Amino acid sequence: MSYAIYLKRSVEKELDHLPSDIYKKIIHKIISLKDNPRSRGVKKLTGKDGYRLRVRDYRILYTINDEDKRIEIYSVAHRKEVYR
């Protein structure tokens, strides 16, 4: 069974400000999380609950709830700013 993906409202706003080529790549990566949220290239965050996925100079930060089969994406930003 695949996971349901939820975007925080702030993530929707962050996505609106991205260049179109990066936007397409990030959306593609987000959709690919449905079937395998811990795929190759995903790293567990240290000091925080959650995972990170790299897309060029941008990062997708999210949490996984295996019980509810739910992925919540709480940040998408440039690598310089995402961890602040």
Side-chain angles (χ1 to χ4, degrees), residues 36-47:
N36 189 0
R38 294 178 185 90
S39 64
R40 211 169 135 246
V42 170
K43 290 196 175 176
K44 179 120 176 59
L45 294 175
T46 54

Side-chain angles (χ1 to χ4, degrees), residues 39-69:
S39 64
R40 211 169 135 246
V42 170
K43 290 196 175 176
K44 179 120 176 59
L45 294 175
T46 54
K48 285 186 195 176
D49 193 28
Y51 296 84
R52 128 176 114 76
L53 183 57
R54 225 182 100 209
V55 180
R56 291 174 63 189
D57 284 343
Y58 289 82
R59 303 294 182 265
I60 303 167
L61 302 182
Y62 62 97
T63 56
I64 302 170
N65 184 334
D66 288 315
E67 242 175 60
D68 299 334
K69 296 282 187 196

Side-chain angles (χ1 to χ4, degrees), residues 1-7 11 15 22-39 42 53-55 60-62 69-73 76:
M1 186 176 147
S2 65
Y3 285 71
I5 296 178
Y6 295 91
L7 300 177
V11 170
L15 288 172
I22 300 290
Y23 175 85
K24 288 176 188 170
K25 287 181 194 291
I26 287 176
I27 293 299
H28 184 270
K29 285 283 190 178
I30 288 172
I31 292 170
S32 74
L33 289 174
K34 285 176 79 166
D35 297 321
N36 189 0
R38 294 178 185 90
S39 64
V42 170
L53 183 57
R54 225 182 100 209
V55 180
I60 303 167
L61 302 182
Y62 62 97
K69 296 282 187 196
R70 176 184 172 118
I71 296 170
E72 184 173 346
I73 298 173
V76 173

